[in-house]
Amino acid sequence: MAMETFSTLGDSEEYVVSDNNNNINNINNINNINNINIPGPSAASLRESSSTNTAPITKNATIVTIPTIDMTAHHPPILAEQMWNAARTIGFFTITNHGISDHDIDSIFDLSQTFFDQSPTIKNRVPFDRDRNSGYEYMTQAPASTKTCDQKESMQITAREGCMEGLWPEYPAEFRRDVEGWMVKMHALACSILSLLEPYACPHLPPGTLVRSHNLWKEDGQCTLRLMHYPPVVNNDDDDDDDADDDDDNDDDNATTPTPPPENLWRAGPHTDWGCITLLFQRLDQPGLECRADPHGDDYWIEVPPVSNSGITVNVGDMLQLWSGERLKSNMHRVRMPRKEEEEEGRKKKGRYSTAFFLQA
């Protein structure tokens, strides 16, 4: 996001089931889809959740889930219908077989972890610059919904001409090369999705208008990549041996938070994304993302689970909701604090990693 502005504040339903695990790049095939007639979706049902920041979700008799869309299973008009139905109701969906290889996804997570494993002193050599919406930050973002800092660190790259001067990390040496290459792929995929949604979101616009408004490394570029690390939670009642083990595993003194967390402490407090479309990558064994079951409802939340390590979570942002005359829904979402059984891996504490690409203009 170009300076991310926060608003005030289980299993995925399969639209398409496919055994095709090939990484078929069909971006070019769906990049110029226009004028497809899409029927409206049925109303979404609710699934209730506790409002606490670690408690399990309580299921209602009827459960709404995040739809999963196989990008290779149907022709573009059917894909557009599935995306439209999801974007109009809950504002979230997951795509699979999208053309981004497992190797590329694993590589960006490896790059992220290598960067965050460095000491605070080294990471702070590229401090966050608010005017450029770029750089490294540690627990400084405080959404209005919680008024407490999100329990995460992030490295943000905004693809605007000159924006990253002096803010590219020196290590890993391949950081800039790999990030720029990754952003090209994310931009192409996000624009493909936007092309499918555009005829229904903005039918009054000439085809391709929205895609042409989003660019990389131009003077007015706003597209942003954010690498995120949610540090392990340190249990204050761990015994001395456990504390010693944690110290050996992590010498980053500022990368821990107390537990149990206060009720208003979140890995990412409830917010909406202000951009157009967000592409989010999660790890299969690192849950925590939730969204409202009804974008206009009360405090009912559902899990937005990882779908394998290669599934991409897509959500609508405020900008696309506005441009669509609010036919598409920019839904509130959050990352809760980990539960004890999720946080522990044997005796070793573990954190959470994710990476997000924000298509915005």
Side-chain angles (χ1 to χ4, degrees), residues 134-349:
S134 298
Y136 169 77
E137 65 83 26
Y138 178 82
M139 297 190 187
T140 60
Q141 293 183 334
S145 59
T146 64
K147 298 181 174 61
T148 59
C149 290
D150 288 346
Q151 301 300 289
K152 72 174 186 292
E153 57 182 337
S154 67
M155 178 64 197
Q156 191 148 297
I157 301 95
T158 295
R160 184 166 62 252
E161 183 180 2
C163 191
M164 290 299 294
E165 290 181 8
L167 291 178
W168 287 109
E170 295 181 2
Y171 183 82
E174 66 275 15
F175 189 95
R176 178 174 182 175
R177 180 201 67 192
D178 290 357
V179 161
E180 288 180 338
W182 178 258
M183 293 184 77
V184 168
K185 295 177 182 179
M186 294 301 98
H187 180 265
L189 179 58
C191 285
S192 298
I193 296 169
L194 189 58
S195 293
L196 291 167
L197 291 172
E198 183 186 52
Y200 321 106
C202 306
H204 58 287
L205 294 179
T209 299
L210 295 187
V211 168
R212 289 191 295 271
S213 300
H214 298 82
N215 53 62
L216 297 178
W217 306 112
K218 303 295 184 181
E219 185 177 358
D220 60 347
Q222 297 288 349
C223 294
T224 298
L225 176 69
R226 179 179 293 163
L227 308 177
M228 289 168 282
H229 173 225
Y230 305 85
V233 173
V234 171
N235 194 333
N236 290 335
D237 60 10
D238 284 346
D239 60 33
D240 293 340
D241 290 338
D242 285 343
D243 290 340
D245 289 342
D246 287 340
D247 289 341
D248 290 340
D249 289 334
N250 188 355
D251 61 359
D252 191 344
D253 291 339
N254 73 350
T256 59
T257 58
T259 194
E263 290 298 311
N264 64 339
L265 199 62
W266 298 84
R267 280 183 154 173
H271 66 282
T272 59
D273 297 341
W274 71 260
C276 193
I277 287 176
T278 302
L279 304 182
L280 178 72
F281 292 79
Q282 308 182 75
R283 299 277 84 178
L284 191 58
D285 61 342
Q286 298 172 13
L289 179 63
E290 300 173 345
C291 73
R292 276 188 169 164
D294 178 354
H296 300 296
D298 295 324
D299 207 19
Y300 294 86
W301 296 81
I302 63 169
E303 296 275 5
V304 185
V307 177
S308 77
N309 278 333
S310 59
I312 304 174
T313 300
V314 182
N315 66 278
V316 174
D318 297 343
M319 186 180 296
L320 188 55
Q321 175 176 278
L322 178 64
W323 287 345
S324 71
E326 299 195 354
R327 289 186 295 274
L328 300 186
K329 307 304 179 186
S330 177
N331 198 355
M332 292 276 279
H333 50 284
R334 65 192 186 186
V335 181
R336 58 170 170 75
M337 297 297 285
R339 301 167 192 144
K340 185 176 181 180
E341 65 271 18
E342 296 169 346
E343 184 69 4
E344 294 180 352
E345 186 178 34
R347 292 180 60 184
K348 181 180 179 181
K349 302 290 184 180

